[in-house]
Amino acid sequence: MRSAADGYLFRPTSVDEIRAILLLAKETGRQITLRGAGRSYGDANIGSETLVVDIGRMRRILSWDPSTGHIDCEGGVTIEGLWRHTIEDGYWPPVVSGTMYPTLAGALAMNIHGKNNFRVGTLGEQVVDMDVLFPTGELRTLTPADDLFYCVISGAGLLGVIVRVKLKMKRIHSGDLRVLATAPRNWDEQFAEFERHEPNADYMVSWVDCFGRGTESGRGQFHAAWYMDDGHEFSSSFRPEHQDLPDTIMGLVPKSVVWRFLKILNNRWGMRFINWGKDFASKTIGNNKVHPQSLVGFSFLLDYVPNWRNAYLPGGFIQYQTFVPKEHAKEVFARQVAMQQEAGLESFLGVLKRHRPDKFLFSHAVDGYSLALDFKVTRENWSRLENLCHRMNDVVLAAGGRFYFAKDSTLRPSDVDAYLGGDTLSRYRRLKSELDPDALLTHNLAKRLGL
Ligand SMILES: Cc1cc2nc3c(=O)[nH]c(=O)nc-3n(C[C@H](O)[C@H](O)[C@H](O)COP(=O)(O)OP(=O)(O)OC[C@H]3O[C@@H](n4cnc5c(N)ncnc54)[C@H](O)[C@@H]3O)c2cc1C
């Protein structure tokens, strides 16, 4: 979220309007960048001098069947739109990101994972069928029986336009989760917590204090969560009012001003202090506590603070998330954190998750763990930060790890060749020339990485 580009914005409301934009691009010799809610962290949803097709107005829910849990909707429906439409019938989106604002099409183009990735896989694995408009103007319905299904999903908006999706929603019996918090003191304890709860937890995630050093490197706060059963078919916790995030923090501070306080503390010393305070609270009052929490409250922590991204202005920030097989994850993440500390570029927020592999074309997942790191960007630190990320990439690649286009600002073409491999890239290039012969679909990430 430090990238910007000038393009020509279109906000179509129908498939025919998208077809007309494809034609216009051909006639004017321009390319097209697809854009959902713009929630990817890097440059995958911006395109310099391209026709930017924002599908946010295609947000109609076409049908909803509580007896099967299948919802059929246009690609611009957001994760928020999904849960608001279905929760009163006792359903929840099967996979959600840490924010509720992404569109279904944008989320499938990246094939997002949630805190339940180890248990249910990615969002793409929950799709029944979908309509894709290819740059040739052909509209096709794809199902999990089609090879192309596994390429358009995860294909980063480079093969076709996802215009309609039918998704399987998750049946729930309460709008709350049972959440356990513990306070691992180092990397060994972090991974032990994940292993302990993996057999039965529905969700797992852990915060890592990247300022922790020596024997406390890897300290943080681990959460496991389980679906609950209220024992009522129509639980009051299904009500949107129960789910809505409060307007104030701890009943006192209006949420709308919180980013201004964060901005004051948004420097190395301020964030060292905040991380220390969170760690202190976690190991004292928060350790080994179980509490109920609404699905929205647990899932979308960052949505609590409107405009939190402004706290990083003027330079913005990048998120750097790498996925490492379980045999090497501890050693790689400990090394990454030590490298940041040596460079004086500690991440202000570190988040650890457990994953399982999938068969999508540009898959980011492995049978292992990911560590997502938020780095503040300034004019002074950018080249050092980029260099740090490149050095951390080498450590990830040596361990057989992977990267994620939704979270990338620093990969080089050689990194992509190394983790995706020649076969995947040749397959992508064959599909690209067949489905998009005029190379209409692009974005700045694709250009940067030679895709
Ligand atoms: C606070 C926060 C927390 C997050 N947490 C997670 C998380 O837990 N897990 C996770 O996996 N991700 C997470 N993300 C990343 C986010 O979920 C993904 O980047 C998602 O793809 C964003 O969707 P979007 O609608 O904003 O799409 P955009 O970011 O606008 O676009 C994403 C990609 O989709 C393509 N695209 C857009 N529309 C279409 C279309 N109609 N057809 C085909 N391609 C299209 C674009 O070209 C682009 O390449 C998080 C992001 C934020 C800001």
Side-chain angles (χ1 to χ4, degrees), residues 1 18 33-41 44-46 53 55 75-76 79 96-99 101-115 152 155-158 160-163 302-303 308-309 317 319 321 353 364 404-407 442-443:
M1 301 207 174
I18 304 178
T33 296
L34 302 178
R35 185 172 170 91
R39 254 49 188 199
S40 294
Y41 282 84
N45 50 30
I46 54 173
V53 178
I55 50 115
I79 293 172
V96 299
S97 49
T99 169
Y101 302 124
T103 62
L104 207 39
L108 286 171
M110 290 304 184
N111 202 15
I112 64 162
H113 61 263
K115 301 175 183 81
V152 173
L158 296 171
V161 192
I162 299 169
V163 291
L302 278 168
D303 294 343
W308 58 271
R309 292 176 294 180
F317 72 106
Q319 188 172 100
Q321 185 175 18
K353 284 187 221 153
H364 53 272
Y404 186 15
F405 291 153
K407 309 285 185 86
T442 189
H443 39 58

Side-chain angles (χ1 to χ4, degrees), residues 110 113 154 319-324 332 336 361-366 369-371 389-420 445 449:
M110 290 304 184
H113 61 263
S154 84
Q319 188 172 100
Y320 173 91
Q321 185 175 18
T322 53
F323 298 72
V324 179
V332 168
Q336 286 185 340
L361 183 74
F362 288 157
S363 172
H364 53 272
V366 293
Y369 293 83
S370 74
L371 181 63
C389 293
H390 292 163
R391 287 186 292 116
M392 291 197 294
N393 289 353
D394 295 339
V395 180
V396 171
L397 287 171
R402 300 179 84 88
F403 304 89
Y404 186 15
F405 291 153
K407 309 285 185 86
D408 174 56
S409 301
T410 57
L411 281 175
R412 298 156 295 188
S414 57
D415 300 321
V416 176
D417 290 353
Y419 92 87
L420 284 178
L445 177 138
L449 298 178

Side-chain angles (χ1 to χ4, degrees), residues 26-62:
K26 254 190 188 168
E27 284 167 6
T28 55
R30 294 215 177 253
Q31 289 182 294
I32 287 180
T33 296
L34 302 178
R35 185 172 170 91
R39 254 49 188 199
S40 294
Y41 282 84
D43 45 2
N45 50 30
I46 54 173
S48 307
E49 292 301 317
T50 61
L51 310 187
V52 178
V53 178
D54 167 345
I55 50 115
R57 287 167 79 197
M58 293 179 64
R59 53 169 184 264
R60 276 167 292 224
I61 291 183
L62 305 170

Side-chain angles (χ1 to χ4, degrees), residues 49-110:
E49 292 301 317
T50 61
L51 310 187
V52 178
V53 178
D54 167 345
I55 50 115
R57 287 167 79 197
M58 293 179 64
R59 53 169 184 264
R60 276 167 292 224
I61 291 183
L62 305 170
S63 73
W64 161 235
D65 182 353
S67 69
T68 58
H70 288 183
I71 189 161
D72 204 357
C73 39
E74 291 183 322
V77 168
T78 60
I79 293 172
E80 178 180 21
L82 285 178
W83 75 255
R84 283 198 187 278
H85 197 84
T86 59
I87 195 161
E88 287 175 81
D89 293 323
Y91 283 91
W92 178 253
V95 169
V96 299
S97 49
T99 169
M100 61 172 114
Y101 302 124
T103 62
L104 207 39
L108 286 171
M110 290 304 184

Side-chain angles (χ1 to χ4, degrees), residues 218-238:
R219 71 185 179 199
Q221 186 174 42
F222 170 88
H223 285 115
W226 294 263
Y227 291 111
M228 287 171 41
D229 189 346
D230 282 355
H232 304 287
E233 200 182 339
F234 298 103
S235 165
S236 60
S237 60
F238 289 163

